[in-house]
Amino acid sequence: MIIDCAIYRDGRRTAGPEDLSDALAEARASSDAFLWIGLHEPTRDEFGRVTEEFGLHPLAVEDALKAHQRPKLEVYNDSLFVVLKPVSYEPHSDTVSTGELMIFLGDSFVVTVRHGSDVPLGPVRSHLEEQPETLRHGPTGVLYSVADSVVDHYLDVATELQTDLEELEAEVFSPSGGGSRHTASRIYSFKRQVLEFRRATGPLAAPLARLAGQEAYGATVPFVQERSRPFFRDVTDHLARVNESVEALDRLVSDILSAHLAQMSVRQNDDMRKISAWAAMAAVPTMIAGIYGMNFAHMPELHWLWSYPVVIVVMAMLEVLLYRLFKRRGWM
């Protein structure tokens, strides 16, 4: 469905015709105006009219309708198609969720298509309407502001993940918490959330580098003003910080998982040594009792008056000796 539709002239929102064709014609009639349409999870029929009016490429339209796309930038004859993946993080459940945001740029128009409830564009539009100097740059200003907002939120999510990971790390290396049977599953679940975050941030580096004109992407991108490159370079720098944080988080989670498994192995070895020590202590009286329980006829000790108390004392002394020996070696 269409959430918002407005014509912006000289950086200011103005009233325009309700008919999309008339609104686009009015925007193109002025060199300082453009049309911005925002849609949320449109159906094929709802998007069909927009496709027809703006001449959007069918491949891009198919991607916008189906969603589940990687971040990318595609150039078509009559439009530019950009896919972003906004991310939100719920610290109580340690869950990273992603939405999808598709942006079509063309001659005097911007079409944004949102999928998911975690992709708020209303605040971005409201913020832009308070900054007419940015809106004066037309569709390029909208693309920059949306990309900047998405990447800045990546930084917030990365900070929250780092905080939660420090708490998990403290739990793993605590004297009692690291041995919990749920700790390994929590670490693995956290690693999956970091991977989900990485899927949103990693592939976005190439499209932003292309918009910024960096390295091999020196050619001008159609429908994007060349003088906007420094601004996209700033967004690219922020994304590089995010990707570095994600790489560090992924490595740290792997190290924590390895350390936890090593701790569990050491504790199991300690438990086995304790069990072995107790088994050795139990074996001594069992052996002695077994010998005297055979009831052979020619066992002179059976007829001694002090045989029973002597055997009991010997057992006790051997047990004390073994206990002190194992205790000194740290087995008990």
Side-chain angles (χ1 to χ4, degrees):
M1 58 181 297
I2 295 180
I3 302 299
D4 201 352
C5 178
I7 295 177
Y8 293 88
R9 183 174 287 105
D10 191 29
R12 304 288 182 180
R13 181 174 181 138
T14 61
E18 294 184 1
D19 184 76
L20 291 181
S21 180
D22 294 340
L24 181 60
E26 182 176 326
R28 286 176 172 170
S30 178
S31 60
D32 61 350
F34 71 94
L35 176 65
W36 183 0
I37 298 177
L39 301 100
H40 179 245
E41 297 181 356
T43 64
R44 187 173 296 274
D45 292 338
E46 291 172 339
F47 203 49
R49 184 183 174 193
V50 176
T51 302
E52 181 180 355
E53 293 294 342
F54 294 95
L56 305 180
H57 197 279
L59 292 177
V61 171
E62 193 70 19
D63 289 344
L65 289 173
K66 289 186 175 180
H68 303 294
Q69 305 297 317
R70 298 175 73 250
K72 63 179 180 177
L73 184 152
E74 298 285 352
V75 178
Y76 299 103
N77 292 332
D78 299 323
S79 63
L80 179 71
F81 180 58
V82 180
V83 179
L84 303 174
K85 292 184 76 69
V87 171
S88 63
Y89 180 62
E90 177 53 53
H92 298 293
S93 58
D94 296 339
T95 302
V96 171
S97 58
T98 59
E100 292 195 37
L101 176 59
M102 287 79 169
I103 306 174
F104 294 87
L105 268 73
D107 181 16
S108 301
F109 73 84
V110 179
V111 178
T112 54
V113 182
R114 297 187 294 122
H115 289 271
S117 58
D118 300 322
V119 193
L121 269 185
V124 177
R125 187 189 284 257
S126 300
H127 181 68
L128 272 175
E129 290 177 353
E130 296 174 358
Q131 295 182 323
E133 65 276 6
T134 303
L135 282 173
R136 287 192 184 100
H137 294 285
T140 301
V142 175
L143 176 60
Y144 160 72
S145 298
V146 172
D148 186 54
S149 175
V150 170
V151 173
D152 283 348
H153 193 60
Y154 286 166
L155 289 170
D156 297 336
V157 172
T159 301
E160 293 176 352
L161 284 171
Q162 181 65 43
T163 301
D164 285 356
L165 183 58
E166 289 174 357
E167 295 176 358
L168 183 59
E169 183 179 18
E171 177 185 338
V172 168
F173 291 102
S174 66
S176 58
S180 173
R181 61 182 179 180
H182 301 296
T183 303
S185 62
R186 283 194 59 199
I187 297 173
Y188 185 74
S189 176
F190 196 93
K191 188 174 180 65
R192 288 185 62 88
Q193 304 311 313
V194 172
L195 178 60
E196 185 69 19
F197 189 27
R198 191 175 187 174
R199 287 173 180 166
T201 63
L204 185 57
L208 285 181
R210 188 174 179 184
L211 290 170
Q214 293 180 340
E215 300 176 358
Y217 306 104
T220 303
V221 179
F223 309 108
V224 176
Q225 298 174 5
E226 187 172 356
R227 62 177 181 269
S228 68
R229 285 184 172 183
F231 297 95
F232 284 109
R233 281 199 292 270
D234 180 66
V235 179
T236 303
D237 290 341
H238 291 176
L239 181 65
R241 287 172 51 196
V242 172
N243 284 329
E244 289 173 0
S245 298
V246 173
E247 290 288 344
L249 285 171
D250 187 53
R251 288 195 300 269
L252 188 55
V253 172
S254 298
D255 292 343
I256 290 175
L257 181 58
S258 298
H260 172 68
L261 295 177
Q263 279 185 327
M264 295 298 294
S265 179
V266 169
R267 289 178 181 178
Q268 288 176 351
N269 289 337
D270 289 341
D271 293 340
M272 289 302 299
R273 284 191 299 181
K274 291 178 181 180
I275 293 172
S276 299
W278 284 110
M281 292 176 63
V284 171
T286 302
M287 180 188 66
I288 296 175
I291 292 174
Y292 284 95
M294 291 186 292
N295 295 323
F296 289 137
H298 302 288
M299 293 182 69
E301 296 87 352
L302 295 177
H303 304 288
W304 292 355
L305 179 63
W306 298 99
S307 295
Y308 178 76
V310 168
V311 170
I312 295 299
V313 170
V314 170
M315 287 183 180
M317 291 177 62
L318 289 174
E319 291 296 296
V320 171
L321 180 63
L322 288 173
Y323 179 82
R324 294 184 62 181
L325 177 63
F326 293 145
K327 190 73 172 179
R328 189 181 302 117
R329 294 187 176 182
W331 287 23
M332 300 189 70

